[in-house]
Amino acid sequence: MIVMKFGGTSVEDAIAVDRIAGIVRSRLAEHPLVVVSAMSKVTDGLLAMAAAAGKGDGDKAVDLCHQVRERHYATAGELLHTGLFTEVHGKLQTEFESLEHLLRGISAVGELTPRTADYVVSFGERLSSIIVTAAFAGREIPATLLDARKVIITDRQHGRAVPQVEEINHALQLHAQPLIAAGRVPVMGGFIGSTRDGITTTIGRGGSDFSAALAGAGLHAERIEIWTDVDGMKTTDPRICPDAHRIKVISFDEAAELAYFGAKVLHPATVLPAVEQNIPVLVLNSRNPSNEGTRIVARTPKSKSLFKAIAAKQRITIIEIVAARMLMAHGFLAAVFEIFDRHRCAIDIVSTSEVSISVTVDSNEAIPAIAADLEKLAYVKFSGRQAIICLVGESIRERPGVAAQVFDAVKDINVRMISQGASEINMSFVVEETDVPAAIKRLHARFFSEVDPEVFD
Ligand code: ADP
Ligand code: ASP
Ligand code: MG
């Protein structure tokens, strides 16, 4: 079997859904399980509704809800013949009535809990999967809707719930395997799951890729296809550098670094479940399905190019922690890291000097609380609106003088906190957010003006 995941833009309207039906039909012989995202921008819309309701603005929330509702009705209307449309319209209507009711309830209380936010946001994938299943059924695909909440079992950390792999694998055998064995095509919403006791959760933004990887690993898929709106992974974000090259083949490790450091095309956790089982992952373009995309494999062939790609992770905060006494006392680092740990805040880059330590974290709500704790031990200074630029490539291990070339390319940009990862396949540094486009363009021009045709397009 194979897993095919379609992102938001691949299900954004009737034309897109019709297109992916053709792609799925072309692979029926390989027994696909399909994972779909919410229609593009719907997750953001749902979050905006939830936020408005949480502030007590029920009218605004319901207004936004109606816009999203009309888009789903229109898409279903264009895709489905009358009989099927009536049936699907009824299902969608029930969902939207319950969403509206919920938003009114949140607004009346004037408080949005993480648990309720997850429930609101789960409508995106639930609605898109209803429409996609019906559209497939009307296009000679024996599709069956599979509620992700029966399969993707998670812990209860709402917004970023952690999938429980053993239970997921068991649920996949119970709910998905029999459908596939019977020649059906299960269609499951990505991104959402539920706790053991049935409370709806979500597994982090962009998480549909992760859902697909979990399903692929649990069902021992022959491959996982991530269908998006670009011809695979590129040498950098094509919105910043339109001349970015397609990467034909990349290793799991390189892809993981890139995804983690901001290459939005793939969710960071995606490759893990796949790598453990050596399942190839392909990134493909639903608007250009004949393109070969990017193949993510265990080991890449040696490339003449120094780097595979450049990514940028925005919304970073640097925290400088200066020990109150002259020298860092024994145990100081441990005390500092314990604070980050306690607030469940992940650190990306660390650099230390005799008396100070600087770390980068994703900008988040926990920062004021972390600051309050840190200030008990040290002087603390924050700089927001920073970004991490990350260059990835397995060849940098063997080449001397790499850093000199990198910093020469960005010599007129203010660079802070340089780090070469322990994995030795990434080199990263911090710049102001506003310098990201210039830094990426310069680095791309320096390292990708001529590329190895074996690896890049
Ligand atoms: P989907 O909805 O299919 O999950 P995403 O928007 O999450 O799609 O990811 C695809 C987008 O990622 C592309 O449209 C592109 O703009 C962006 N992107 C950022 N960095 C890269 C990169 N290195 N290679 C390809 N796409 C990238
Ligand atoms: N719909 C979710 C999001 O926008 C998950 C996904 O698309 O992968 O984050
Ligand atoms: Mg995505």
Side-chain angles (χ1 to χ4, degrees), residues 176-197:
Q177 186 55 43
L179 290 173
I180 298 165
R184 309 293 305 174
V185 174
V187 176
M188 180 178 104
F191 176 54
I192 63 178
S194 86
T195 62
R196 258 165 236 138
D197 34 6

Side-chain angles (χ1 to χ4, degrees), residues 4 49 56 199 256 295 310 345:
M4 305 175 76
M49 284 171 219
I199 297 158
R295 195 176 175 78
I310 310 166
C345 179

Side-chain angles (χ1 to χ4, degrees), residues 5 7-9 227-230 232-234 236-239 263-265:
K5 176 262 173 176
T9 46
W227 291 86
T228 181
D229 63 345
V230 278
M233 295 190 86
K234 304 277 189 138
T236 195
D237 187 337
R239 286 164 302 186
K264 194 194 164 207
V265 65

